[in-house]
Amino acid sequence: MADFDVIVVGAGPAGSVASYLLAKRGHTVLTVERGKRPGAKNMFGGRLYSWSLERIFPEFWKEAPVEREVTKEVLGFLHGERGVEIRLSTRPKGRSFTLLRAKFDQWLAEKAEDAGAEVISGFKVERPLIRDGRVVGIVAEGDEEMEAEVVIAADGALSFMAEKAGLRPKLSKEDFAVGAKEVIELPKEVIEDRFGLSEDEGAAQLYVGDLTEGVIGGGFIYTNKESVSLGVVMRIGSLASKVSEISTAMWEVTEKFKSHPMIRRYLEGGKLVEYSAHIIPETQFMRGVKLYTDGMVVVGDAAGFCVNYGVTVRGMDFAIESARAAAEAVHHALESGDTSARSLSKYQEILSSGMLREFETAKKAVDLMEDERLYSSIPKIAVETLEHLFLVDGKPKENLYSFLRKEFSEEGISLLSALLLGWKALRSM
Amino acid sequence: MDIAVLVKQSLDVQELRVDQDTGKIYIEDAPTKAGDIELNATEEAVRLKEKLGGKAIAIMLSTGGASGKRQKEAREALTRVLAMGLDGAVLIMGEGAEKGDTYVIAKALAEEIRDKFGLVLAAEGSEDNFSGLLPARLAAELGWPYVAYATAIEVEGDHVKVTRSLEDFEEVVRVKFPAVISVTQEINKPRVPKLVEIVKAKKKPLDQKDFSPPVEPKLTIRELKVPKVERKQIVIEGDVEEAAEKLIQALKEEGVL
Amino acid sequence: MKVLAFSHSMDLALELVSAGRELGDVSLLVTSDQEGRINEVKGAKEVLLCKGLDSGDQEGLVELISGLASDYEVVLLASDRRGRELVGQVAHRLGASSAVDVSSLSVEDGKLVVERMTFGGKAIAVEEMSLPAVISVQKGKFKPPEEGEPSVREVSAPSIERRVEVIERKEKPKVGVPLDKAEIVVAVGRGFRKKEDLKLAYELADVLGGVVGATRPVAADLKWMEEEVWIGISGVRIAPKLLIVVGASGQQQFAAGIMDSKVVVAVNTDSKAPIFEQADYGVVMDLYEFLPVLTKKLKEIKGG
Ligand SMILES: Cc1cc2nc3c(=O)[nH]c(=O)nc-3n(C[C@H](O)[C@H](O)[C@H](O)COP(=O)(O)OP(=O)(O)OC[C@H]3O[C@@H](n4cnc5c(N)ncnc54)[C@H](O)[C@@H]3O)c2cc1C
Ligand SMILES: Cc1cc2nc3c(=O)[nH]c(=O)nc-3n(C[C@H](O)[C@H](O)[C@H](O)COP(=O)(O)OP(=O)(O)OC[C@H]3O[C@@H](n4cnc5c(N)ncnc54)[C@H](O)[C@@H]3O)c2cc1C
């Protein structure tokens, strides 16, 4: 008999949710996390869309360590020292919250523990244990084998588990974008004042422009209770040949972002308390990924359920939802005593009738964000147009139409395609 | 004869955040753990218990307060030493323990140890406070001999031979049981438990008791200050030659060459 | 206030007299093996000479000091290993408060107030101690007094059954230039792969006219140094004008020992090593490549 019904690799949101749901249904679950504690090293931008977690823990925000509910959305264009901010103040349809992973992941992992899962931190899983072509457990560091009826790979974007089980091809650096993030502490009142928020309200602010020098990407700021999460996302993998080059570039762009006059005023007097960088899987490689095999399923980032919109990334909600689907399928497989690929294919079925549709829509929005002009010409035009409209220097003004036409032709964009791009951008938000 | 290993719930000083500007020390936010040298004491206990033919039990009197977080961490720290091969653990926790000084803690621990154990192993100093006072006080409270800074321990019949390292010399002493011995980091290499040992350790007996201070403390902490150390943190770039030159230049400007 | 002082090391004992004078009259206990240096004692009120006890007898010392202490409010001991070993035992026998490695002490409103490092050097605790109190004083914080002849009184040795028997004692090699007095220190860590490689550090120290110190694992565990002395919270605290830390990670317990250095340079291959936060100048490089070049260039300057 196997040591455990289920071994879950990784205690990020996907791993902890899967562990929780399966332990709650009475299965023996071992969750192995390589960090010192769940969430210790995990980073993300800062916002969780709540829909999927709500299905598991209704009104979880009353209990979970979330920071603020996002009620203000800002899209900013930066050009040189100048900038434009567009502020959307309607309450969004689905709720979303800012949070810090170190606390949040730990809370979720404790939920799993309380439900009966054994969560063990500080151990790295090396690879799946494979016998006769079937996954039968894991091999942990120090060559230690542990058996399970089903293994759930929730080991994040780099997922060696999926790769070594042959579920996805070896990734190259073109498959990744990179995100860097800082947490900057500020007093609560200062945050509320500078971002125009009332208590518990939060802001999500995204910026594009010449900051990234034409590379797809940009900067973000999310407000927490007593800090802001600020960072930069860039599709940089294909541009640099060395990891050190990537990290230097990320650091430089982050510094540039922070020192932009429009951004700087939000941060004045703040104290940097954390810096981290992480890779982001690009959705394209989803095509080459299989979600299950005999004795194993892959969830969350490990399965590529993460959408990079260029500036923001969304994956927590998909990680949670995919884990829920996987837990459902694994529960059935364990009940029926058949944990073969065929039985576990129920996972894909559940996803197809639900989350995958949402995921596809999300991915469509990405195509738009792929347009490189969004990161170069558009911010420039936005800034200069507004300047043209509002600045009075005593000289005669061109009319707006001819000004715009000049701007667009300088940038080599036709007015029509600019309008189309603008329209699509609005529609996707 | 059974062995007691003293395990303190120490702040992880590496992760403790202090703010030099405001003087704030984020004690509540810092995680706690079993001290590294307590892992050496544990390793030694596991090694010696075979020879002494008894059990080895971890004893933790937590001074971290009684919050859920600290309780969980205390249990995790004990799980870790249990996974190394100890047979059980006693966790004494409670409100008010954070005010206990070594006088109070030694009195309380003695209750737990007297008549039950023949040997107490401890670390030469705890990870966060490094005073080494507790085992010394405990020995005095129990009326047992005390030997600190052990770098080797050998059992010989009704006594142990302890090699200990002092500044000017190394000493070998013979001590009769019962005794209290503190060990150094050099005494052994603590084993790293396997996953399966951690899983099993969670099923080993862990006896949790409420702490109530037996006496009033003799010492109180009036204030914790953050020492100011300002470092420039300049990273010298360039290839080896350039870096060496830049460094020499910088040190010349500092006037230290 | 009456203070009783004792240290196994006569040099530290003289420092204790000075520390004790901040509080009141000091009686210094001197054991048989220390008798020859009695005339060096200045500034104490009296010397208590115990001819029947050797300073190697810790059990005897606990008994003797605890017995004498009833006439005193404060007992001062040194913060070397044997001194610290006594603090807790004596304090508990007396029902006294205790603190080790104290860097300053004073009396405020009838309470004894001391300062000491805690949290691996990240904080300084200001502690209020009830009397009587037993304290060990940090090394090098007090200068021995130069004047004042003490009177000498003999005290008798305690007669107790000893449960700890010393069966062997091996001298360790003596320290050359003490680290805590050195102006320039090159500190080596486990980044060196073998003992012979320390040559790179000695060569660098030589051109700079400095000495080589080590982290605890290098000195105490690997025993690569001539003598077993290390820098840090459990070793020596140094205060050179220039410290070059090579191949050491800069864990808090080591870092606590270097805080008083004027300029700190770190050489480490790992740009994330905590030592870089403790350094003025950081070189992210392999020491095997960097040290020879640095030493060569320094030689050129110094030689020419
Ligand atoms: C810069 C950036 C910004 C982002 N912003 C957002 C955002 O605002 N909103 C959003 O919804 N999403 C965001 N994301 C995406 C989000 O972080 C991920 O989609 C989400 O964390 C995926 O969860 P997961 O549980 O699948 O993986 P992870 O959170 O990566 O968790 C994987 C866990 O497995 C552990 N692990 C890995 N390998 C092993 C091993 N071999 N053995 C044991 N344990 C292992 C890891 O330590 C980790 O705890 C962002 C990502 C980045 C990089
Ligand atoms: C209660 C307690 C008290 C302690 N007291 C002390 C104390 O007083 N003093 C003390 O030192 N320690 C003390 N320690 C131990 C301390 O925690 C650390 O373990 C120790 O300082 C680490 O020593 P290290 O830096 O030499 O080794 P490591 O931590 O192993 O660091 C080696 C470093 O070398 C670098 N490196 C490797 N190869 C190269 C290369 N080729 N070129 C350049 N760099 C390289 C690595 O990146 C690494 O950062 C104490 C521990 C405890 C628990």
Side-chain angles (χ1 to χ4, degrees):
Chain A
M1 218 187 78
D3 301 305
F4 286 89
D5 294 341
V6 185
I7 294 180
V8 178
V9 182
S16 288
V17 162
S19 305
Y20 167 79
L21 291 171
L22 285 161
K24 213 177 84 170
R25 295 184 111 161
H27 303 293
T28 57
V29 179
L30 172 68
T31 312
V32 188
E33 165 60 45
R34 77 170 163 199
K36 240 177 160 176
R37 291 176 296 282
K41 288 245 162 59
N42 295 353
M43 69 92 90
F44 87 136
R47 158 199 289 209
L48 168 73
Y49 291 95
S50 66
W51 62 278
S52 55
L53 194 57
E54 257 179 273
R55 290 184 183 167
I56 302 162
F57 303 110
E59 304 201 313
F60 67 86
W61 51 85
K62 291 192 171 153
E63 172 199 356
V66 296
E67 297 286 322
R68 288 168 184 271
E69 175 162 8
V70 178
T71 55
K72 293 224 157 61
E73 314 270 347
V74 169
L75 175 63
F77 297 112
L78 306 178
H79 188 70
E81 295 274 280
R82 299 163 298 172
V84 175
E85 279 180 354
I86 304 171
R87 176 171 281 243
L88 180 71
S89 261
T90 55
R91 197 170 266 266
K93 271 176 267 160
R95 305 181 84 153
S96 69
F97 298 86
T98 61
L99 54 86
L100 294 162
R101 291 287 297 275
K103 291 188 218 156
F104 182 79
D105 284 19
Q106 201 154 351
W107 172 77
L108 256 189
E110 272 165 30
K111 283 277 161 202
E113 266 187 313
D114 293 345
E118 299 269 11
V119 181
I120 295 183
S121 300
F123 273 90
K124 188 168 166 236
V125 174
E126 297 289 357
R127 55 179 186 277
L129 177 63
I130 299 174
R131 280 192 205 123
D132 307 325
R134 189 186 192 291
V135 176
V136 293
I138 58 161
V139 182
E141 63 185 287
D143 247 350
E144 188 185 350
E145 296 180 357
M146 197 77 112
E147 291 180 15
E149 304 291 341
V150 182
V151 171
I152 300 184
D155 53 339
L158 276 172
S159 188
F160 291 114
M161 290 293 291
E163 192 185 310
K164 291 196 170 126
L167 291 178
R168 77 177 203 192
K170 204 172 160 52
L171 300 171
S172 67
K173 60 184 191 310
E174 287 76 26
D175 296 318
F176 295 101
V178 183
K181 184 182 106 167
E182 293 183 352
V183 177
I184 297 171
E185 270 184 6
L186 283 166
K188 190 169 175 295
E189 309 75 50
V190 172
I191 293 176
E192 284 158 14
D193 180 51
R194 288 188 191 165
F195 289 86
L197 304 168
S198 62
E199 200 163 341
D200 295 336
E201 274 189 340
Q205 319 208 133
L206 313 177
Y207 298 87
V208 291
D210 56 359
L211 181 74
T212 53
E213 290 166 20
V215 177
I216 295 183
F220 60 81
I221 304 179
Y222 294 102
T223 55
N224 303 315
K225 279 203 181 84
E226 293 183 337
S227 64
V228 299
S229 297
L230 166 148
V232 163
V233 170
M234 280 205 290
R235 194 162 297 172
I236 196 180
S238 50
L239 301 175
S241 56
K242 276 197 278 181
V243 178
S244 65
E245 283 173 18
I246 296 183
S247 53
T248 311
M250 292 305 294
W251 185 79
E252 280 171 8
V253 176
T254 310
E255 287 303 303
K256 207 160 93 188
F257 180 48
K258 274 164 58 182
S259 61
H260 190 282
M262 210 161 81
I263 305 303
R264 202 169 50 207
R265 70 193 162 98
Y266 288 121
L267 310 174
E268 243 147 26
K271 180 165 223 122
L272 176 69
V273 291
E274 199 184 299
Y275 176 85
S276 52
H278 198 276
I279 59 150
I280 302 159
E282 292 288 6
T283 44
Q284 291 89 315
F285 75 70
M286 261 295 291
R287 280 163 210 142
V289 176
K290 279 185 20 215
L291 295 176
Y292 56 88
T293 181
D294 290 318
M296 181 165 122
V297 295
V298 190
V299 295
D301 270 14
F305 291 134
C306 183
V307 182
N308 176 6
Y309 292 96
V311 189
T312 53
V313 186
R314 183 178 155 199
M316 294 270 285
D317 53 335
F318 295 126
I320 289 162
E321 183 63 8
S322 64
R324 197 177 71 93
E328 190 63 32
V330 169
H331 170 66
H332 279 281
L334 288 170
E335 293 288 284
S336 69
D338 175 10
T339 54
S340 68
R342 199 151 54 100
S343 167
L344 291 171
S345 69
K346 191 173 168 65
Y347 170 38
Q348 175 119 34
E349 263 168 50
I350 302 173
L351 285 179
S352 302
S353 61
M355 184 189 102
L356 282 182
R357 272 183 279 164
E358 168 71 16
F359 189 66
E360 289 305 320
T361 327
K363 271 183 9 180
K364 284 217 186 81
V366 172
D367 295 340
L368 158 84
M369 302 302 278
E370 306 263 88
D371 197 316
E372 285 179 8
R373 288 171 298 188
L374 201 54
Y375 307 91
S376 50
S377 333
I378 303 290
K380 174 170 179 284
I381 295 170
V383 169
E384 290 182 348
T385 306
L386 287 179
E387 276 185 343
H388 177 81
L389 269 176
F390 299 126
L391 295 191
V392 175
D393 60 359
K395 293 189 193 131
K397 259 192 186 182
E398 249 174 300
N399 76 38
L400 182 61
Y401 179 71
S402 69
F403 171 83
L404 276 177
R405 207 168 48 178
K406 213 169 74 203
E407 281 279 314
F408 284 116
S409 74
E410 264 174 31
E411 294 300 319
I413 309 177
S414 78
L415 206 50
L416 182 63
S417 72
L419 287 174
L420 270 172
L421 191 58
W423 187 73
K424 279 202 284 183
L426 272 179
R427 212 183 44 169
S428 82
M429 280 191 78
Chain B
M1 183 197 297
D2 291 349
I3 307 173
V5 185
L6 303 187
V7 179
K8 181 178 174 185
Q9 181 170 25
S10 290
L11 285 181
D12 188 338
V13 292
Q14 201 65 32
E15 292 201 30
L16 174 67
R17 200 183 136 208
V18 298
D19 190 326
Q20 291 200 359
D21 300 330
T22 61
K24 198 166 171 212
I25 305 174
Y26 294 77
I27 295 179
E28 301 300 319
D29 294 350
T32 61
K33 59 178 232 182
D36 282 351
I37 307 184
E38 280 139 21
L39 302 185
N40 294 99
T42 302
E43 178 67 38
E44 206 56 23
V46 171
R47 217 176 52 78
L48 290 176
K49 73 172 188 176
E50 318 281 300
K51 295 220 179 76
L52 293 172
K55 285 186 183 152
I57 307 288
I59 300 189
M60 174 183 277
L61 199 161
S62 165
T63 48
S67 72
K69 177 184 167 197
R70 291 298 187 227
Q71 204 155 139
K72 183 164 184 278
E73 288 173 341
R75 289 176 159 267
E76 265 163 23
L78 287 172
T79 302
R80 155 110 210 184
V81 290
L82 285 170
M84 289 174 68
L86 297 185
D87 302 292
V90 179
L91 171 60
I92 309 164
M93 258 191 132
E95 224 52 79
E98 61 272 30
K99 290 206 181 63
D101 60 355
T102 49
Y103 174 66
V104 177
I105 307 294
K107 292 252 181 206
L109 276 177
E111 295 307 303
E112 205 49 56
I113 288 168
R114 208 190 312 270
D115 308 329
K116 291 188 200 147
F117 298 94
L119 177 64
V120 175
L121 292 179
E124 62 171 293
S126 66
E127 185 114 350
D128 55 359
N129 201 30
F130 205 72
S131 78
L133 286 170
L134 187 75
R137 278 188 178 271
L138 179 65
E141 177 69 26
L142 294 167
W144 296 1
Y146 175 52
V147 179
Y149 309 111
T151 54
I153 301 176
E154 275 169 66
V155 175
E156 294 179 342
D158 65 344
H159 60 259
V160 271
K161 210 168 89 182
V162 181
T163 307
R164 64 200 209 109
S165 173
L166 305 167
E167 279 89 348
D168 305 338
F169 41 80
E170 201 176 75
E171 218 174 52
V172 184
V173 298
R174 192 177 287 144
V175 200
K176 283 204 190 110
F177 292 120
V180 179
I181 301 175
S182 83
V183 307
T184 64
Q185 217 172 4
E186 290 75 34
I187 193 168
N188 54 38
K189 288 252 172 309
R191 69 194 68 190
V192 179
K194 292 181 163 191
L195 200 49
V196 62
E197 285 162 340
I198 303 236
V199 171
K200 284 195 189 132
K202 290 196 173 190
K203 301 197 174 75
K204 287 188 181 177
L206 194 162
D207 187 6
Q208 185 164 345
K209 302 182 175 177
D210 267 341
F211 172 79
S212 54
V215 283
E216 286 294 305
K218 301 272 178 194
L219 176 146
T220 50
I221 296 179
R222 179 196 278 185
E223 190 193 350
L224 287 167
K225 298 192 287 193
V226 180
K228 276 215 178 5
V229 198
E230 271 161 36
R231 295 290 176 208
K232 299 199 178 78
Q233 299 190 12
I234 296 170
V235 178
I236 307 238
E237 311 268 356
D239 62 28
V240 179
E241 297 275 330
E242 285 164 14
E245 269 159 30
K246 280 191 208 161
L247 177 62
I248 291 171
Q249 190 53 38
L251 295 181
K252 272 187 186 159
E253 279 161 25
E254 293 275 2
V256 292
L257 277 193
Chain C
M1 204 170 272
K2 289 177 77 186
V3 179
L4 173 66
F6 169 78
S7 171
H8 301 81
S9 144
M10 206 56 189
D11 294 334
L12 295 181
L14 300 178
E15 290 184 12
L16 292 182
V17 172
S18 163
R21 292 211 324 180
E22 311 244 314
L23 303 173
D25 289 339
V26 182
S27 300
L28 179 70
L29 175 65
V30 169
T31 48
S32 59
D33 52 314
Q34 299 176 325
E35 197 183 342
R37 291 181 69 183
I38 276 193
N39 54 357
E40 289 176 41
V41 181
K42 307 278 184 229
K45 182 161 175 283
E46 61 174 351
V47 164
L48 307 179
L49 175 63
C50 183
K51 286 190 168 165
L53 190 78
D54 182 90
S55 70
D57 181 357
Q58 292 286 87
E59 269 182 301
L61 280 167
V62 171
E63 191 66 28
L64 176 61
I65 297 172
S66 307
L68 291 171
S70 52
D71 294 337
Y72 298 85
E73 275 102 14
V74 178
V75 177
L76 291 186
L77 298 161
S79 280
D80 54 356
R81 286 186 159 191
R82 281 186 293 170
R84 296 166 66 126
E85 191 178 46
L86 296 178
V87 179
Q89 296 182 83
V90 172
H92 210 75
R93 288 275 291 267
L94 297 172
S97 62
S98 59
V100 296
D101 226 7
V102 154
S103 58
S104 86
L105 61 182
S106 59
V107 181
E108 284 171 38
D109 309 327
K111 283 229 158 106
L112 187 58
V113 177
V114 300
E115 292 199 348
R116 54 180 300 269
M117 222 184 227
T118 186
F119 300 155
K122 280 194 172 164
I124 294 165
V126 184
E127 299 176 336
E128 277 182 17
M129 306 178 71
S130 64
L131 297 175
V134 184
I135 292 169
S136 81
V137 178
Q138 193 186 324
K139 212 166 132 184
K141 280 280 160 178
F142 296 88
K143 267 215 170 66
E146 278 161 13
E147 274 168 43
E149 288 305 318
S151 58
V152 179
R153 174 160 66 98
E154 281 200 31
V155 292
S156 53
S159 61
I160 44 158
E161 181 213 343
R162 308 287 199 274
R163 294 159 304 177
V164 182
E165 179 198 351
V166 178
I167 49 182
E168 202 187 325
R169 187 170 284 171
K170 266 190 295 204
E171 291 271 329
K172 285 186 188 169
K174 280 275 174 290
V175 182
V177 182
L179 276 173
D180 49 351
K181 305 249 157 53
E183 289 266 291
I184 296 186
V185 176
V186 177
V188 299
R190 262 192 304 215
F192 286 82
R193 284 181 218 121
K194 49 186 194 303
K195 184 176 175 182
E196 295 69 57
D197 299 348
L198 292 188
K199 192 172 90 219
L200 296 173
Y202 281 107
E203 282 170 358
L204 176 60
D206 276 348
V207 273
L208 292 169
V211 300
V212 175
T215 62
R216 180 166 178 165
V218 169
D221 192 19
L222 301 167
K223 298 194 194 300
W224 282 355
M225 305 293 287
E226 290 292 303
E227 64 272 326
E228 213 180 295
V229 179
W230 62 85
I231 299 162
I233 193 117
S234 57
V236 184
R237 268 171 245 168
I238 59 171
K241 61 179 197 193
L242 173 61
L243 168 67
I244 305 182
V245 184
V246 188
S249 56
Q251 295 297 307
Q252 191 54 44
Q253 293 89 3
F254 170 78
I258 66 170
M259 290 193 324
D260 296 333
S261 311
K262 189 163 162 261
V263 176
V264 178
V265 176
V267 182
N268 196 308
T269 38
D270 175 8
S271 66
K272 292 205 181 67
I275 190 65
F276 288 117
E277 284 164 33
Q278 313 281 342
D280 295 292
Y281 300 97
V283 181
V284 186
M285 256 175 221
D286 189 334
L287 70 93
Y288 288 90
E289 286 170 22
F290 184 69
L291 284 203
V293 177
L294 180 65
T295 307
K296 195 184 96 215
K297 290 204 187 285
L298 282 167
K299 261 191 198 141
E300 285 164 13
I301 305 173
K302 299 259 165 171

